[in-house]
Every structure is written in C-alpha cells, then in structure tokens.
Amino acid sequence: MSNPQSTQPNPEAGRHSNRQESHLSLARSSIRRALSGYTPKIRASLRSEIEVLTNSLQKLDQGVIRIAAFGLVSRGKSAVLNALLGQKILQTGPLNGVTQWPRSVRWTIASEPPLTKEKGLSKVQMELIDTPGLDEIEGQARAMMAQSVARQADLILFIVSGDITRTEYQALCELRQAQKPIILVFNKIDLYPEQDRQAIYENLQELGAGSSGGRRLEQLLSPDEIVMVAAEPAPIQVRVEWPDGKVTYEWESPPSDIEELKEKILSILNREGRSLLALNALVQAREAEATIASKILALRNTEAEDLIWQFTKYKALAVALNPIALLDILGGTIADLALIRELARLYNLPMTSYEAGKLWKTILLSSGGLLLGEMGSSLLLGLGKSAAAVVSGENPTSLTAYGGVAIAQAGIAGYGAYAVGRAAQVYLEKGCTWGQLGPNTVIQEILDRVEPSTILYRLRQELRS
C-alpha cells in the first residue's frame, strides 16, 4: 500500500523552487541587458568577452549545473565520479596522473531517488568534470587550468584520502578564491580501520569548524559539507565452498559506498542549485563587463582626453568672461553634466544612478571650489569679480582687479572640469556593473534573500567583494 503522504506537495520545496526561478530570471535579464547594450562595432572588437556573456546566457537557458572534482594525484577523483555515474566511464588506474586533461561527462540520475522528485531539479542538467592532480608536473600550467575549470563550476568536490596535507590545504585555500561551494570528500575509507577512519573524519571536520588554524576556510567549508566514501573499494579475498566440498579463494570488488555524497549533492542542488547557477553566471558576466569597460576606455583614451580638455577650456573661458558669480556656479555645473554625458556617449557605456550619485559629489566639490575661490578672491582683493564688473565702467583700474579674479576663477573652473572628466572615466568603468539589472546589483539582490542555513549564505561575503 502506498504512503498517502508521498503524493502531497511539499510547500518548502515549492518555496525553494520559486525563489530559485526568480534568481534565474534576474540573471537572464541582467546578461541580456548587457548583450543588448553594445554596438556591433564594439561586439566585433571584443569577441572573447562578448562570448563569455553569450555562453553564460546559454548556460542559464540550458540549465546545466557543473560539478568539478579537484584533488592531488591518486586520491580517486575519477573513481568518485565513476561511482556517481554508476559506470566506469572515466579512466582510473594505479599510476599517478591517469587524468591528463579535464573531461566532462553528463550525469543523469537513472534511479530517480526521492530527492530528484522535488519540484525543480528535473529542470536542470548535471555535468561532472574530472581534472588532473593539482600536484602533477607542469604545476603552473595545471594551476591555470584548475582556475579556469573552477570558474566554470557551480559546485566543487575536493577529494582527499586521509589526513589533509599542507599541499592540499593550500589548494583548498586557493580554490576558495573561485567563490564556489565546496564539498570535502574523504575517499578510500575502506583502507582504514573504523577507529582511524573516524579520527581522520573528525580532523577534517575541524577545518570547517575553524580550529587548528582553519579559520580561513570556516565560511567556505562547514562540517556538514564533509562526507566519507569508498568510491572504488580494494578487492577482498573471499572463501568459496563448492557442493563437492572443494574450497577456493577468489578476489571480489565490493560495491562502492557513494550514497552519502550523492544525497549531499542532490540536497544542495534541490535547495539552491539554480541559485548557484545564476550567481556563477552573474560573476562571470561581472568580470566580462568590467573587462569590456576597461578595454573601451583604453581604445577611446585619446578621444576622451581631447573631449575633457575641450570642456576644460570652454568652462574656464566661460567663467572668466561671466561677471555674475551665481551664474559661474550654475553654468559650471551644467558644463560638468554635459561633459559626463558626452563621455558616456563616447564610450557607449551606461550612465546609471550609481555612477550619477558618485559623480554628483565630485561635481559639488568642483562647484564648491569655484565658490570658495570667488569668496577667497573677494576677501583678498576687497571686492569680487561681480563687484569689479559693476564699477569697471566708472573706474578703469578696476579692470585689473576684475582680470586677476577672472583668471584665478578660470583656473579653478578648468581644474574642476578636468577633475570631473577624470572621475567620470573611473565611474563609467567601475560602475558599469551596477545600476538597474547590473551584475553586481543582481548579485546583491540574490544574496540579500538567501537563508542562513544555505551554502550561499556562507558565500555572501566572498561574492560581494
């Protein structure tokens, strides 16, 4: 008789699914906004960065969650992935360095365990990535390859086969920079007596608890993300008794012990898998957009310099010739805003409320400097430029005072325009990932909604930096 509760909807699962779907939707909208914001000319000159944005959007649309396995040589990375797959697809062997290059394999849960029946996980695909040992020869090239794979991954499995070594701890800390959730997998437990196995497991848990110098990993790795497996147990000798009384001894390979890891992975993916997918795409989009902005500024540097100097001269001349102090400040502010607008148009970069708010501070400082210059010159000379202009018709000597004050104020105004132009360049470059639907803005919005019990909650500080 079937359990009537098994057919009842799970409100908790539905809530998680709806939240993750909103995260995916926000991420898609952010990347589509970025792709639509660049002209064909810019897209042609920045193919690699545009390709990153395009691939990130395709990954979101396809719903492919990538799980990468890392570790030193002979830790059983390929064996762990084979055990998850349920068949020996990836090559394994007794020699070090069997895996020479990263290899991806699609992972389909054929048995449909209860965890995959929750609403949402059926909408995503899982891909397992096998990597070479992190301590093999050509270490620098391997490290670069590992960084590339880690950037693409949504979840990282770090495989060990005993007490963690200094090299493994260093590798874990380096993988932390990828800002991805990590599951620490203690493999080959079949080689240890129960007491030794438990002692090693407790030592590994201390890394996640922040003791024994492990504070650097505390926010990334909790004791809950440490599991024990025997992916490819060593063959054992068994005694076989035949009907005729003959006794022989044969070697048999025990079945893999991988269920705890499989359940841990599926539990994470059910609860926050699509949110991880969305954040990973947004992080890559953030890097790509920042690179695009930097390259555009470099390409248009000469034109921007000419534009800034042109506005600097015009503003200085206008302030020098204008006799009314209030109009100096008002006109200077308008000129600053026009310069910002022209720079944004030149770079074809968005001028969002984030940059505008920052730039207004610079503009106010620029206008404030002009006002202080006006007041200072008035105190110094006994009359301001405005007063000098009024009396210049009756007293020709006042023209000299007017000219001195005008030149001083023109210098202040010109410097202010130049400072605003430089500030606009910085904020157009750094602020392109903010604003409405900017990657940074969407990342912040997603992280503000995550629950304290999730892996994403522990990654908030990493992803916000």
Side-chain angles (χ1 to χ4, degrees):
M1 182 177 179
S2 62
N3 184 356
Q5 292 183 351
S6 62
T7 60
Q8 295 298 317
N10 187 340
E12 187 74 7
R15 184 167 60 86
H16 292 323
S17 180
N18 292 337
R19 183 175 62 247
Q20 291 183 77
E21 283 299 329
S22 69
H23 294 169
L24 280 178
S25 179
L26 282 171
R28 289 191 189 98
S29 298
S30 175
I31 298 175
R32 284 171 182 157
R33 176 206 60 84
L35 286 170
S36 64
Y38 300 113
T39 62
K41 184 178 180 180
I42 290 178
R43 294 169 69 95
S45 61
L46 298 169
R47 286 196 182 97
S48 60
E49 289 78 16
I50 295 297
E51 186 177 354
V52 170
L53 293 173
T54 303
N55 291 340
S56 296
L57 183 59
Q58 289 176 350
K59 187 169 180 282
L60 287 176
D61 291 338
Q62 294 169 0
V64 179
I65 294 179
R66 294 191 172 99
I67 304 170
F70 290 94
L72 305 191
V73 294
S74 299
R75 297 316 193 251
K77 299 182 295 296
S78 301
V80 168
L81 298 185
N82 281 336
L84 289 173
L85 292 166
Q87 52 185 320
K88 193 170 183 177
I89 295 178
L90 302 168
Q91 184 181 2
T92 62
L95 299 178
N96 290 348
V98 172
T99 302
Q100 296 296 315
W101 301 102
R103 182 180 176 186
S104 300
V105 182
R106 187 60 54 89
W107 182 23
T108 303
I109 310 297
S111 59
E112 287 290 328
L115 282 170
T116 61
K117 293 181 180 179
E118 293 186 18
K119 180 182 177 183
L121 192 55
S122 59
K123 297 181 181 180
V124 301
Q125 304 176 63
M126 291 172 284
E127 187 175 279
L128 302 179
I129 306 176
D130 194 15
T131 64
L134 295 174
D135 56 339
E136 292 185 57
I137 56 174
E138 302 178 5
Q140 186 173 3
R142 301 287 185 188
M144 293 177 62
M145 184 168 52
Q147 291 173 6
S148 176
V149 173
R151 279 197 300 269
Q152 299 175 36
D154 303 295
L155 177 65
I156 291 174
L157 307 180
F158 192 84
I159 317 297
V160 299
S161 58
D163 274 321
I164 193 166
T165 66
R166 184 183 297 273
T167 303
E168 285 172 324
Y169 181 79
Q170 182 180 355
L172 262 176
C173 292
E174 290 174 356
L175 284 173
R176 179 179 189 259
Q177 299 175 11
Q179 303 173 343
K180 305 295 171 63
I182 294 178
I183 298 178
L184 184 59
V185 182
F186 175 18
N187 188 28
K188 302 186 180 182
I189 59 173
D190 56 295
L191 301 181
Y192 297 90
E194 178 63 31
Q195 186 175 357
D196 294 345
R197 178 194 310 176
Q198 193 62 32
I200 294 172
Y201 179 62
E202 291 173 0
N203 289 339
L204 294 175
Q205 285 183 313
E206 288 182 354
L207 289 173
S211 59
S212 301
R215 295 294 298 183
R216 294 172 64 189
L217 290 173
E218 182 179 3
Q219 290 186 328
L220 185 68
L221 181 69
S222 80
D224 291 337
E225 274 79 64
I226 301 173
V227 298
M228 295 192 294
V229 303
E232 196 174 46
I236 59 175
Q237 193 176 48
V238 297
R239 185 174 184 268
V240 180
E241 297 183 3
W242 299 91
D244 59 1
K246 182 181 178 181
V247 176
T248 61
Y249 292 89
E250 299 179 0
W251 291 92
E252 290 186 0
S253 297
S256 61
D257 181 4
I258 203 73
E259 286 307 309
E260 182 182 357
L261 176 60
K262 183 182 292 186
E263 290 181 4
K264 175 63 67 176
I265 292 173
L266 296 179
S267 177
I268 290 173
L269 297 188
N270 269 308
R271 186 176 178 86
E272 47 192 320
R274 281 163 291 159
S275 297
L276 289 171
L277 185 63
L279 283 170
N280 189 27
L282 288 168
V283 168
Q284 293 187 52
R286 175 173 64 184
E287 294 174 357
E289 287 194 55
T291 302
I292 288 173
S294 179
K295 287 186 177 181
I296 290 175
L297 262 67
L299 289 171
R300 300 287 174 83
N301 183 62
T302 301
E303 297 173 71
E305 283 287 330
D306 293 341
L307 184 64
I308 292 173
W309 278 113
Q310 183 180 5
F311 271 83
T312 298
K313 290 185 290 185
Y314 288 161
K315 182 178 177 181
L317 182 62
V319 168
L321 297 178
N322 176 56
I324 302 175
L326 182 61
L327 290 180
D328 285 347
I329 299 171
L330 181 60
T333 301
I334 294 174
D336 289 339
L337 289 172
L339 171 58
I340 294 168
R341 183 188 62 187
E342 290 302 314
L343 283 172
R345 184 179 300 170
L346 172 66
Y347 293 135
N348 193 37
L349 293 173
M351 172 55 66
T352 66
S353 57
Y354 174 79
E355 303 98 75
K358 295 287 187 179
L359 283 171
W360 262 109
K361 295 180 181 178
T362 303
I363 293 170
L364 290 174
L365 286 174
S366 171
S367 301
L370 182 60
L371 180 59
L372 290 174
E374 179 93 23
M375 295 173 61
S377 62
S378 297
L379 291 173
L380 180 65
L381 301 175
L383 71 166
K385 182 181 65 176
S386 300
V390 172
V391 300
S392 60
E394 301 175 359
N395 185 2
T397 59
S398 298
L399 289 174
T400 303
Y402 177 88
V405 175
I407 291 173
Q409 291 180 329
I412 294 171
Y415 176 78
Y418 186 80
V420 167
R422 284 299 191 186
Q425 287 180 298
V426 172
Y427 287 116
L428 280 168
E429 178 181 2
K430 302 300 182 184
C432 67
T433 58
W434 292 90
Q436 186 178 14
L437 289 180
N440 269 319
T441 303
V442 178
I443 287 173
Q444 293 280 34
E445 185 173 346
I446 291 175
L447 294 176
D448 286 341
R449 298 178 183 179
V450 299
E451 298 179 0
S453 59
T454 61
I455 286 181
L456 282 177
Y457 188 83
R458 293 197 299 276
L459 284 171
R460 287 189 309 167
Q461 185 175 356
E462 298 287 327
L463 291 167
R464 280 174 170 161
S465 61

